[in-house]
Amino acid sequence: MSTYDTTAIQKLDTAHYLHPFTDHKALGEKGARVMVRGDGIYLWDSEGNKIIDGMSGLWCVNVGYGRTSISKAVYAQMETLPFYNSFFNTTNVPAVRLAAKLVQISPPQFNHVYFAGSGSEGNDTNVRMVRRYWDVLGQPQRQVIISRHNAYHGSTMAGASLGGMAGMHEQGGLPIPGIVHIGQPSYLESGKGMTEEAFGIEAASWLEKKILEVGADKVAAFIGEPIQGAGGVIIPPSTYWPEIQRICDKYGILLIADEVICGFGRLGRWFASELFGIKPDLITFAKGVTSGYVPLGGVLVGDRVAKVLIEQGGEFNHGFTYSGHPVACAAALENIRIIEDEKLIERVANETGPYLKKRFAELADHPLVGYADSCGFVAGLNLVRSKGATVHDNVAFDESLAVGMVCRSYMFNNGMIMRAVGDRMIIAPPLILTTAQIDEMLALIRHCLDLTYADVKERGWL
Ligand SMILES: Cc1ncc(COP(=O)(O)O)c(CNc2cccc(C(=O)O)c2)c1O
């Protein structure tokens, strides 16, 4: 017997709460699933259903749910200083300690942190910071930031403009001026007839072409997610990022790595830039910094930019009320302590990440799976109508059939959250997952692939 009146909650929800990225009318016709509790890798909804959270909330609950040491740290901070701002030459202890901690765990070129409240605000900070950097250096014409199609960098005007999602640009007259896009390094989408390594170089060359098209003296920076998350877990070839770095160095443009998803251990490193062999000037962070327990985001500011802003820039006229929020920073400090003490990064790098990679790749033998790949604790597989000799010869389902959503429903109804981006099925589980839980998760995914296959066969879609 549920202790929640789900129907009553759903009615109030429909009456008053506009959800993000949601067709409110369509949701109102069926009612939202009401989440009420989390513990470890599990969620419970208001009807008592226990669900494996294969998406870590929204790529963020890295240490899992139910960490009372984080809630205790938050409570203690709330009891002493629940808020104070960092404007007007003031600071607070958790913000200072967190800044120092982030410097300690980040790559050596980072000695300064700029706090915001989210990943979007972090990327808005990037736009203003890189343009200010070039202005101070006497090159104010360097305004253009190059990003990628199908990238996701947030939902503020600048964040959504940096992103490369057409559906977002259509609403609100985006992108804002000075933001342009190149193709994404998707071997599946654009690498037919090439080796992965050759495609990585080809995809990176699109950056140089764009720089020359715009005019090298007009370009401020390039921004990219080491692995694109919301775009569908697009894992670039190993040759891509070193070539991007070479091109940025050649033209002296700043490199921004958006690690809102890839940071804080998700790929088996504190920061994915280390894994992909790049030395970014700025790193956007959010999500895993607090495991989503309290909103927090910001930018790791590399010495090249920090030096100019500090020594020559005077007042940088930017910031947010909640920049350096003491409670959020206290949550982050305890979250990072857990990641360190439980050696979660080492586990993802050396044990559970390789195990997940091995087990997840086995799904490629399923008749519905045309391509399965993973890196650390992000993984994706493509549902296809028929499989060819190579991944480029697979035949996709017609998008309108929304087979990904059929599979996602089977997953949810069988006790697991798996994300559908079109017909690409994604997981990004909490870093605390054990090998036994990986086996449990994979068995569930295979079972739901079987259910989906039988379903689409019966509908005559194969
Ligand atoms: C790489 C990246 N950069 C910036 C943001 C924006 O962060 P905030 O949301 O905290 O402003 C993100 C956020 N990522 C995100 C946000 C909402 C939905 C989904 C999805 O996968 O459907 C992904 C992200 O993934």
Side-chain angles (χ1 to χ4, degrees), residues 407-442:
C407 185
R408 179 185 182 281
S409 299
Y410 279 118
M411 292 299 306
F412 231 129
N413 296 334
N414 281 272
M416 179 172 160
I417 293 172
M418 191 173 192
R419 179 80 196 283
V421 177
D423 291 345
R424 175 105 163 131
M425 302 306 294
I426 295 169
I427 57 169
L431 310 190
I432 58 172
L433 214 58
T434 63
T435 50
Q437 288 170 332
I438 288 172
D439 290 339
E440 178 190 355
M441 197 173 64
L442 268 293

PDB file of all heavy atoms in Angstrom, residues 407-442:
ATOM      1  N   CYS A 407      11.813   0.806 -26.120  1.00  0.00           N
ATOM      2  CA  CYS A 407      12.788   0.094 -25.271  1.00  0.00           C
ATOM      3  C   CYS A 407      12.869   0.741 -23.890  1.00  0.00           C
ATOM      4  O   CYS A 407      12.882   0.052 -22.868  1.00  0.00           O
ATOM      5  CB  CYS A 407      14.160   0.112 -25.952  1.00  0.00           C
ATOM      6  SG  CYS A 407      15.414  -0.842 -25.084  1.00  0.00           S
ATOM      7  N   ARG A 408      12.858   2.086 -23.875  1.00  0.00           N
ATOM      8  CA  ARG A 408      12.968   2.805 -22.594  1.00  0.00           C
ATOM      9  C   ARG A 408      11.796   2.450 -21.673  1.00  0.00           C
ATOM     10  O   ARG A 408      11.967   2.260 -20.468  1.00  0.00           O
ATOM     11  CB  ARG A 408      12.972   4.315 -22.870  1.00  0.00           C
ATOM     12  CG  ARG A 408      13.069   5.196 -21.633  1.00  0.00           C
ATOM     13  CD  ARG A 408      12.943   6.678 -22.015  1.00  0.00           C
ATOM     14  NE  ARG A 408      13.073   7.541 -20.872  1.00  0.00           N
ATOM     15  CZ  ARG A 408      12.098   7.774 -19.998  1.00  0.00           C
ATOM     16  NH1 ARG A 408      10.917   7.174 -20.154  1.00  0.00           N
ATOM     17  NH2 ARG A 408      12.282   8.575 -18.964  1.00  0.00           N
ATOM     18  N   SER A 409      10.601   2.312 -22.268  1.00  0.00           N
ATOM     19  CA  SER A 409       9.417   1.944 -21.461  1.00  0.00           C
ATOM     20  C   SER A 409       9.556   0.550 -20.867  1.00  0.00           C
ATOM     21  O   SER A 409       9.260   0.327 -19.693  1.00  0.00           O
ATOM     22  CB  SER A 409       8.153   2.011 -22.323  1.00  0.00           C
ATOM     23  OG  SER A 409       7.987   3.336 -22.782  1.00  0.00           O
ATOM     24  N   TYR A 410      10.062  -0.386 -21.693  1.00  0.00           N
ATOM     25  CA  TYR A 410      10.275  -1.741 -21.162  1.00  0.00           C
ATOM     26  C   TYR A 410      11.283  -1.704 -20.010  1.00  0.00           C
ATOM     27  O   TYR A 410      11.096  -2.358 -18.977  1.00  0.00           O
ATOM     28  CB  TYR A 410      10.758  -2.684 -22.261  1.00  0.00           C
ATOM     29  CG  TYR A 410       9.648  -3.213 -23.141  1.00  0.00           C
ATOM     30  CD1 TYR A 410       9.613  -2.941 -24.509  1.00  0.00           C
ATOM     31  CD2 TYR A 410       8.608  -3.980 -22.598  1.00  0.00           C
ATOM     32  CE1 TYR A 410       8.587  -3.417 -25.311  1.00  0.00           C
ATOM     33  CE2 TYR A 410       7.573  -4.458 -23.389  1.00  0.00           C
ATOM     34  CZ  TYR A 410       7.566  -4.171 -24.749  1.00  0.00           C
ATOM     35  OH  TYR A 410       6.537  -4.637 -25.534  1.00  0.00           O
ATOM     36  N   MET A 411      12.343  -0.891 -20.178  1.00  0.00           N
ATOM     37  CA  MET A 411      13.344  -0.786 -19.108  1.00  0.00           C
ATOM     38  C   MET A 411      12.696  -0.264 -17.831  1.00  0.00           C
ATOM     39  O   MET A 411      12.806  -0.853 -16.761  1.00  0.00           O
ATOM     40  CB  MET A 411      14.484   0.158 -19.533  1.00  0.00           C
ATOM     41  CG  MET A 411      15.367  -0.310 -20.643  1.00  0.00           C
ATOM     42  SD  MET A 411      16.273  -1.844 -20.321  1.00  0.00           S
ATOM     43  CE  MET A 411      17.106  -1.482 -18.802  1.00  0.00           C
ATOM     44  N   PHE A 412      11.954   0.868 -17.963  1.00  0.00           N
ATOM     45  CA  PHE A 412      11.340   1.474 -16.774  1.00  0.00           C
ATOM     46  C   PHE A 412      10.386   0.478 -16.119  1.00  0.00           C
ATOM     47  O   PHE A 412      10.391   0.281 -14.900  1.00  0.00           O
ATOM     48  CB  PHE A 412      10.558   2.739 -17.181  1.00  0.00           C
ATOM     49  CG  PHE A 412      10.917   3.954 -16.357  1.00  0.00           C
ATOM     50  CD1 PHE A 412      11.270   5.161 -16.964  1.00  0.00           C
ATOM     51  CD2 PHE A 412      10.916   3.917 -14.968  1.00  0.00           C
ATOM     52  CE1 PHE A 412      11.603   6.279 -16.216  1.00  0.00           C
ATOM     53  CE2 PHE A 412      11.235   5.041 -14.208  1.00  0.00           C
ATOM     54  CZ  PHE A 412      11.581   6.226 -14.837  1.00  0.00           C
ATOM     55  N   ASN A 413       9.569  -0.177 -16.937  1.00  0.00           N
ATOM     56  CA  ASN A 413       8.559  -1.091 -16.368  1.00  0.00           C
ATOM     57  C   ASN A 413       9.174  -2.364 -15.787  1.00  0.00           C
ATOM     58  O   ASN A 413       8.514  -3.104 -15.075  1.00  0.00           O
ATOM     59  CB  ASN A 413       7.504  -1.434 -17.444  1.00  0.00           C
ATOM     60  CG  ASN A 413       6.737  -0.179 -17.866  1.00  0.00           C
ATOM     61  OD1 ASN A 413       6.622   0.774 -17.080  1.00  0.00           O
ATOM     62  ND2 ASN A 413       6.270  -0.147 -19.105  1.00  0.00           N
ATOM     63  N   ASN A 414      10.470  -2.586 -16.133  1.00  0.00           N
ATOM     64  CA  ASN A 414      11.152  -3.758 -15.564  1.00  0.00           C
ATOM     65  C   ASN A 414      12.175  -3.365 -14.509  1.00  0.00           C
ATOM     66  O   ASN A 414      13.042  -4.147 -14.152  1.00  0.00           O
ATOM     67  CB  ASN A 414      11.824  -4.567 -16.698  1.00  0.00           C
ATOM     68  CG  ASN A 414      10.807  -5.424 -17.439  1.00  0.00           C
ATOM     69  OD1 ASN A 414      10.542  -6.566 -17.043  1.00  0.00           O
ATOM     70  ND2 ASN A 414      10.216  -4.861 -18.495  1.00  0.00           N
ATOM     71  N   GLY A 415      12.093  -2.084 -14.067  1.00  0.00           N
ATOM     72  CA  GLY A 415      12.876  -1.690 -12.895  1.00  0.00           C
ATOM     73  C   GLY A 415      14.230  -1.087 -13.154  1.00  0.00           C
ATOM     74  O   GLY A 415      15.121  -1.189 -12.316  1.00  0.00           O
ATOM     75  N   MET A 416      14.388  -0.401 -14.326  1.00  0.00           N
ATOM     76  CA  MET A 416      15.677   0.266 -14.552  1.00  0.00           C
ATOM     77  C   MET A 416      15.484   1.498 -15.449  1.00  0.00           C
ATOM     78  O   MET A 416      14.667   1.496 -16.360  1.00  0.00           O
ATOM     79  CB  MET A 416      16.680  -0.670 -15.233  1.00  0.00           C
ATOM     80  CG  MET A 416      18.017  -0.008 -15.497  1.00  0.00           C
ATOM     81  SD  MET A 416      19.258  -1.161 -16.079  1.00  0.00           S
ATOM     82  CE  MET A 416      20.394   0.009 -16.838  1.00  0.00           C
ATOM     83  N   ILE A 417      16.239   2.531 -15.151  1.00  0.00           N
ATOM     84  CA  ILE A 417      16.222   3.737 -15.991  1.00  0.00           C
ATOM     85  C   ILE A 417      17.361   3.640 -16.995  1.00  0.00           C
ATOM     86  O   ILE A 417      18.530   3.479 -16.602  1.00  0.00           O
ATOM     87  CB  ILE A 417      16.373   5.010 -15.152  1.00  0.00           C
ATOM     88  CG1 ILE A 417      15.138   5.204 -14.268  1.00  0.00           C
ATOM     89  CG2 ILE A 417      16.606   6.235 -16.043  1.00  0.00           C
ATOM     90  CD1 ILE A 417      15.254   6.312 -13.251  1.00  0.00           C
ATOM     91  N   MET A 418      17.035   3.668 -18.286  1.00  0.00           N
ATOM     92  CA  MET A 418      18.023   3.725 -19.370  1.00  0.00           C
ATOM     93  C   MET A 418      17.528   4.844 -20.287  1.00  0.00           C
ATOM     94  O   MET A 418      16.336   4.947 -20.553  1.00  0.00           O
ATOM     95  CB  MET A 418      18.093   2.394 -20.123  1.00  0.00           C
ATOM     96  CG  MET A 418      19.264   2.281 -21.071  1.00  0.00           C
ATOM     97  SD  MET A 418      19.360   0.596 -21.752  1.00  0.00           S
ATOM     98  CE  MET A 418      20.987   0.659 -22.518  1.00  0.00           C
ATOM     99  N   ARG A 419      18.421   5.692 -20.721  1.00  0.00           N
ATOM    100  CA  ARG A 419      18.062   6.886 -21.484  1.00  0.00           C
ATOM    101  C   ARG A 419      17.946   6.544 -22.960  1.00  0.00           C
ATOM    102  O   ARG A 419      18.723   5.720 -23.453  1.00  0.00           O
ATOM    103  CB  ARG A 419      19.187   7.894 -21.254  1.00  0.00           C
ATOM    104  CG  ARG A 419      19.058   9.164 -21.937  1.00  0.00           C
ATOM    105  CD  ARG A 419      18.108  10.098 -21.223  1.00  0.00           C
ATOM    106  NE  ARG A 419      17.760  11.143 -22.168  1.00  0.00           N
ATOM    107  CZ  ARG A 419      18.582  12.145 -22.473  1.00  0.00           C
ATOM    108  NH1 ARG A 419      19.733  12.229 -21.841  1.00  0.00           N
ATOM    109  NH2 ARG A 419      18.231  13.037 -23.351  1.00  0.00           N
ATOM    110  N   ALA A 420      16.985   7.125 -23.657  1.00  0.00           N
ATOM    111  CA  ALA A 420      16.890   6.964 -25.120  1.00  0.00           C
ATOM    112  C   ALA A 420      17.170   8.319 -25.762  1.00  0.00           C
ATOM    113  O   ALA A 420      16.479   9.295 -25.463  1.00  0.00           O
ATOM    114  CB  ALA A 420      15.500   6.477 -25.511  1.00  0.00           C
ATOM    115  N   VAL A 421      18.220   8.358 -26.590  1.00  0.00           N
ATOM    116  CA  VAL A 421      18.446   9.551 -27.425  1.00  0.00           C
ATOM    117  C   VAL A 421      18.188   9.087 -28.844  1.00  0.00           C
ATOM    118  O   VAL A 421      19.039   8.423 -29.446  1.00  0.00           O
ATOM    119  CB  VAL A 421      19.883  10.094 -27.269  1.00  0.00           C
ATOM    120  CG1 VAL A 421      20.111  11.282 -28.214  1.00  0.00           C
ATOM    121  CG2 VAL A 421      20.154  10.492 -25.837  1.00  0.00           C
ATOM    122  N   GLY A 422      16.986   9.335 -29.349  1.00  0.00           N
ATOM    123  CA  GLY A 422      16.588   8.698 -30.606  1.00  0.00           C
ATOM    124  C   GLY A 422      16.564   7.196 -30.374  1.00  0.00           C
ATOM    125  O   GLY A 422      15.990   6.711 -29.395  1.00  0.00           O
ATOM    126  N   ASP A 423      17.241   6.429 -31.239  1.00  0.00           N
ATOM    127  CA  ASP A 423      17.305   4.971 -31.053  1.00  0.00           C
ATOM    128  C   ASP A 423      18.635   4.538 -30.450  1.00  0.00           C
ATOM    129  O   ASP A 423      19.051   3.392 -30.556  1.00  0.00           O
ATOM    130  CB  ASP A 423      17.077   4.256 -32.401  1.00  0.00           C
ATOM    131  CG  ASP A 423      15.646   4.412 -32.889  1.00  0.00           C
ATOM    132  OD1 ASP A 423      14.779   4.810 -32.067  1.00  0.00           O
ATOM    133  OD2 ASP A 423      15.396   4.157 -34.088  1.00  0.00           O
ATOM    134  N   ARG A 424      19.309   5.494 -29.806  1.00  0.00           N
ATOM    135  CA  ARG A 424      20.571   5.197 -29.088  1.00  0.00           C
ATOM    136  C   ARG A 424      20.216   5.080 -27.615  1.00  0.00           C
ATOM    137  O   ARG A 424      19.700   6.011 -27.008  1.00  0.00           O
ATOM    138  CB  ARG A 424      21.555   6.343 -29.331  1.00  0.00           C
ATOM    139  CG  ARG A 424      22.862   6.222 -28.540  1.00  0.00           C
ATOM    140  CD  ARG A 424      24.002   5.788 -29.427  1.00  0.00           C
ATOM    141  NE  ARG A 424      25.296   6.053 -28.795  1.00  0.00           N
ATOM    142  CZ  ARG A 424      26.273   5.147 -28.712  1.00  0.00           C
ATOM    143  NH1 ARG A 424      26.096   3.949 -29.245  1.00  0.00           N
ATOM    144  NH2 ARG A 424      27.422   5.438 -28.123  1.00  0.00           N
ATOM    145  N   MET A 425      20.461   3.923 -27.018  1.00  0.00           N
ATOM    146  CA  MET A 425      20.143   3.673 -25.619  1.00  0.00           C
ATOM    147  C   MET A 425      21.401   3.890 -24.778  1.00  0.00           C
ATOM    148  O   MET A 425      22.469   3.359 -25.094  1.00  0.00           O
ATOM    149  CB  MET A 425      19.621   2.245 -25.434  1.00  0.00           C
ATOM    150  CG  MET A 425      18.387   1.906 -26.259  1.00  0.00           C
ATOM    151  SD  MET A 425      17.026   3.045 -26.025  1.00  0.00           S
ATOM    152  CE  MET A 425      16.615   2.711 -24.298  1.00  0.00           C
ATOM    153  N   ILE A 426      21.253   4.668 -23.705  1.00  0.00           N
ATOM    154  CA  ILE A 426      22.416   5.126 -22.940  1.00  0.00           C
ATOM    155  C   ILE A 426      22.303   4.755 -21.470  1.00  0.00           C
ATOM    156  O   ILE A 426      21.211   4.766 -20.899  1.00  0.00           O
ATOM    157  CB  ILE A 426      22.494   6.662 -23.008  1.00  0.00           C
ATOM    158  CG1 ILE A 426      22.746   7.139 -24.418  1.00  0.00           C
ATOM    159  CG2 ILE A 426      23.578   7.191 -22.105  1.00  0.00           C
ATOM    160  CD1 ILE A 426      22.555   8.645 -24.528  1.00  0.00           C
ATOM    161  N   ILE A 427      23.464   4.478 -20.844  1.00  0.00           N
ATOM    162  CA  ILE A 427      23.536   4.402 -19.384  1.00  0.00           C
ATOM    163  C   ILE A 427      24.721   5.233 -18.896  1.00  0.00           C
ATOM    164  O   ILE A 427      25.712   5.412 -19.614  1.00  0.00           O
ATOM    165  CB  ILE A 427      23.682   2.944 -18.869  1.00  0.00           C
ATOM    166  CG1 ILE A 427      24.903   2.274 -19.481  1.00  0.00           C
ATOM    167  CG2 ILE A 427      22.424   2.154 -19.082  1.00  0.00           C
ATOM    168  CD1 ILE A 427      25.253   0.941 -18.820  1.00  0.00           C
ATOM    169  N   ALA A 428      24.586   5.771 -17.706  1.00  0.00           N
ATOM    170  CA  ALA A 428      25.664   6.491 -17.027  1.00  0.00           C
ATOM    171  C   ALA A 428      25.468   6.233 -15.535  1.00  0.00           C
ATOM    172  O   ALA A 428      25.012   7.100 -14.794  1.00  0.00           O
ATOM    173  CB  ALA A 428      25.634   7.978 -17.334  1.00  0.00           C
ATOM    174  N   PRO A 429      25.730   5.022 -15.069  1.00  0.00           N
ATOM    175  CA  PRO A 429      25.348   4.613 -13.708  1.00  0.00           C
ATOM    176  C   PRO A 429      26.217   5.235 -12.623  1.00  0.00           C
ATOM    177  O   PRO A 429      27.319   5.728 -12.918  1.00  0.00           O
ATOM    178  CB  PRO A 429      25.517   3.100 -13.738  1.00  0.00           C
ATOM    179  CG  PRO A 429      26.531   2.842 -14.801  1.00  0.00           C
ATOM    180  CD  PRO A 429      26.355   3.913 -15.827  1.00  0.00           C
ATOM    181  N   PRO A 430      25.764   5.216 -11.379  1.00  0.00           N
ATOM    182  CA  PRO A 430      26.574   5.725 -10.270  1.00  0.00           C
ATOM    183  C   PRO A 430      27.914   4.977 -10.209  1.00  0.00           C
ATOM    184  O   PRO A 430      27.990   3.784 -10.505  1.00  0.00           O
ATOM    185  CB  PRO A 430      25.719   5.433  -9.037  1.00  0.00           C
ATOM    186  CG  PRO A 430      24.317   5.389  -9.554  1.00  0.00           C
ATOM    187  CD  PRO A 430      24.425   4.787 -10.927  1.00  0.00           C
ATOM    188  N   LEU A 431      28.979   5.677  -9.799  1.00  0.00           N
ATOM    189  CA  LEU A 431      30.333   5.095  -9.835  1.00  0.00           C
ATOM    190  C   LEU A 431      30.506   3.998  -8.770  1.00  0.00           C
ATOM    191  O   LEU A 431      31.516   3.303  -8.762  1.00  0.00           O
ATOM    192  CB  LEU A 431      31.381   6.189  -9.627  1.00  0.00           C
ATOM    193  CG  LEU A 431      31.267   7.446 -10.507  1.00  0.00           C
ATOM    194  CD1 LEU A 431      32.506   8.321 -10.348  1.00  0.00           C
ATOM    195  CD2 LEU A 431      31.024   7.086 -11.974  1.00  0.00           C
ATOM    196  N   ILE A 432      29.514   3.862  -7.890  1.00  0.00           N
ATOM    197  CA  ILE A 432      29.625   2.871  -6.803  1.00  0.00           C
ATOM    198  C   ILE A 432      29.188   1.479  -7.254  1.00  0.00           C
ATOM    199  O   ILE A 432      29.273   0.518  -6.499  1.00  0.00           O
ATOM    200  CB  ILE A 432      28.733   3.280  -5.600  1.00  0.00           C
ATOM    201  CG1 ILE A 432      27.259   3.427  -6.034  1.00  0.00           C
ATOM    202  CG2 ILE A 432      29.258   4.583  -4.987  1.00  0.00           C
ATOM    203  CD1 ILE A 432      26.312   3.639  -4.861  1.00  0.00           C
ATOM    204  N   LEU A 433      28.732   1.365  -8.506  1.00  0.00           N
ATOM    205  CA  LEU A 433      28.231   0.085  -9.030  1.00  0.00           C
ATOM    206  C   LEU A 433      29.260  -1.028  -8.789  1.00  0.00           C
ATOM    207  O   LEU A 433      30.455  -0.847  -9.037  1.00  0.00           O
ATOM    208  CB  LEU A 433      27.996   0.237 -10.530  1.00  0.00           C
ATOM    209  CG  LEU A 433      26.858  -0.509 -11.203  1.00  0.00           C
ATOM    210  CD1 LEU A 433      25.519  -0.157 -10.594  1.00  0.00           C
ATOM    211  CD2 LEU A 433      26.841  -0.190 -12.697  1.00  0.00           C
ATOM    212  N   THR A 434      28.793  -2.200  -8.350  1.00  0.00           N
ATOM    213  CA  THR A 434      29.707  -3.349  -8.196  1.00  0.00           C
ATOM    214  C   THR A 434      29.621  -4.219  -9.456  1.00  0.00           C
ATOM    215  O   THR A 434      28.696  -4.074 -10.254  1.00  0.00           O
ATOM    216  CB  THR A 434      29.263  -4.210  -6.998  1.00  0.00           C
ATOM    217  OG1 THR A 434      27.940  -4.730  -7.301  1.00  0.00           O
ATOM    218  CG2 THR A 434      29.205  -3.384  -5.712  1.00  0.00           C
ATOM    219  N   THR A 435      30.549  -5.151  -9.602  1.00  0.00           N
ATOM    220  CA  THR A 435      30.508  -6.036 -10.771  1.00  0.00           C
ATOM    221  C   THR A 435      29.236  -6.887 -10.740  1.00  0.00           C
ATOM    222  O   THR A 435      28.627  -7.146 -11.774  1.00  0.00           O
ATOM    223  CB  THR A 435      31.753  -6.942 -10.824  1.00  0.00           C
ATOM    224  OG1 THR A 435      31.919  -7.562  -9.551  1.00  0.00           O
ATOM    225  CG2 THR A 435      32.990  -6.134 -11.172  1.00  0.00           C
ATOM    226  N   ALA A 436      28.793  -7.263  -9.542  1.00  0.00           N
ATOM    227  CA  ALA A 436      27.540  -8.043  -9.439  1.00  0.00           C
ATOM    228  C   ALA A 436      26.360  -7.208  -9.910  1.00  0.00           C
ATOM    229  O   ALA A 436      25.471  -7.681 -10.632  1.00  0.00           O
ATOM    230  CB  ALA A 436      27.329  -8.501  -7.997  1.00  0.00           C
ATOM    231  N   GLN A 437      26.356  -5.927  -9.557  1.00  0.00           N
ATOM    232  CA  GLN A 437      25.263  -5.045  -9.995  1.00  0.00           C
ATOM    233  C   GLN A 437      25.349  -4.772 -11.497  1.00  0.00           C
ATOM    234  O   GLN A 437      24.334  -4.605 -12.169  1.00  0.00           O
ATOM    235  CB  GLN A 437      25.308  -3.731  -9.207  1.00  0.00           C
ATOM    236  CG  GLN A 437      24.866  -3.885  -7.754  1.00  0.00           C
ATOM    237  CD  GLN A 437      25.138  -2.643  -6.921  1.00  0.00           C
ATOM    238  OE1 GLN A 437      26.072  -1.881  -7.218  1.00  0.00           O
ATOM    239  NE2 GLN A 437      24.351  -2.450  -5.884  1.00  0.00           N
ATOM    240  N   ILE A 438      26.563  -4.763 -12.039  1.00  0.00           N
ATOM    241  CA  ILE A 438      26.728  -4.626 -13.494  1.00  0.00           C
ATOM    242  C   ILE A 438      26.098  -5.834 -14.177  1.00  0.00           C
ATOM    243  O   ILE A 438      25.344  -5.705 -15.152  1.00  0.00           O
ATOM    244  CB  ILE A 438      28.216  -4.473 -13.871  1.00  0.00           C
ATOM    245  CG1 ILE A 438      28.731  -3.088 -13.459  1.00  0.00           C
ATOM    246  CG2 ILE A 438      28.425  -4.690 -15.379  1.00  0.00           C
ATOM    247  CD1 ILE A 438      30.233  -2.890 -13.620  1.00  0.00           C
ATOM    248  N   ASP A 439      26.342  -7.030 -13.631  1.00  0.00           N
ATOM    249  CA  ASP A 439      25.733  -8.251 -14.190  1.00  0.00           C
ATOM    250  C   ASP A 439      24.206  -8.154 -14.133  1.00  0.00           C
ATOM    251  O   ASP A 439      23.514  -8.463 -15.105  1.00  0.00           O
ATOM    252  CB  ASP A 439      26.202  -9.490 -13.414  1.00  0.00           C
ATOM    253  CG  ASP A 439      27.676  -9.798 -13.664  1.00  0.00           C
ATOM    254  OD1 ASP A 439      28.214  -9.331 -14.695  1.00  0.00           O
ATOM    255  OD2 ASP A 439      28.297 -10.465 -12.814  1.00  0.00           O
ATOM    256  N   GLU A 440      23.686  -7.665 -12.989  1.00  0.00           N
ATOM    257  CA  GLU A 440      22.223  -7.537 -12.817  1.00  0.00           C
ATOM    258  C   GLU A 440      21.660  -6.555 -13.847  1.00  0.00           C
ATOM    259  O   GLU A 440      20.660  -6.818 -14.509  1.00  0.00           O
ATOM    260  CB  GLU A 440      21.929  -7.029 -11.391  1.00  0.00           C
ATOM    261  CG  GLU A 440      20.482  -6.791 -11.072  1.00  0.00           C
ATOM    262  CD  GLU A 440      20.271  -6.052  -9.733  1.00  0.00           C
ATOM    263  OE1 GLU A 440      21.263  -5.799  -9.007  1.00  0.00           O
ATOM    264  OE2 GLU A 440      19.100  -5.720  -9.426  1.00  0.00           O
ATOM    265  N   MET A 441      22.379  -5.450 -14.034  1.00  0.00           N
ATOM    266  CA  MET A 441      21.929  -4.404 -14.961  1.00  0.00           C
ATOM    267  C   MET A 441      21.949  -4.915 -16.406  1.00  0.00           C
ATOM    268  O   MET A 441      20.997  -4.727 -17.173  1.00  0.00           O
ATOM    269  CB  MET A 441      22.869  -3.204 -14.808  1.00  0.00           C
ATOM    270  CG  MET A 441      22.376  -1.906 -15.343  1.00  0.00           C
ATOM    271  SD  MET A 441      23.503  -0.571 -14.910  1.00  0.00           S
ATOM    272  CE  MET A 441      24.974  -1.064 -15.783  1.00  0.00           C
ATOM    273  N   LEU A 442      23.024  -5.604 -16.761  1.00  0.00           N
ATOM    274  CA  LEU A 442      23.158  -6.109 -18.143  1.00  0.00           C
ATOM    275  C   LEU A 442      22.101  -7.168 -18.457  1.00  0.00           C
ATOM    276  O   LEU A 442      21.547  -7.205 -19.562  1.00  0.00           O
ATOM    277  CB  LEU A 442      24.577  -6.652 -18.366  1.00  0.00           C
ATOM    278  CG  LEU A 442      25.618  -5.677 -18.913  1.00  0.00           C
ATOM    279  CD1 LEU A 442      25.250  -5.281 -20.342  1.00  0.00           C
ATOM    280  CD2 LEU A 442      25.793  -4.433 -18.073  1.00  0.00           C
TER     281      LEU A 442
END
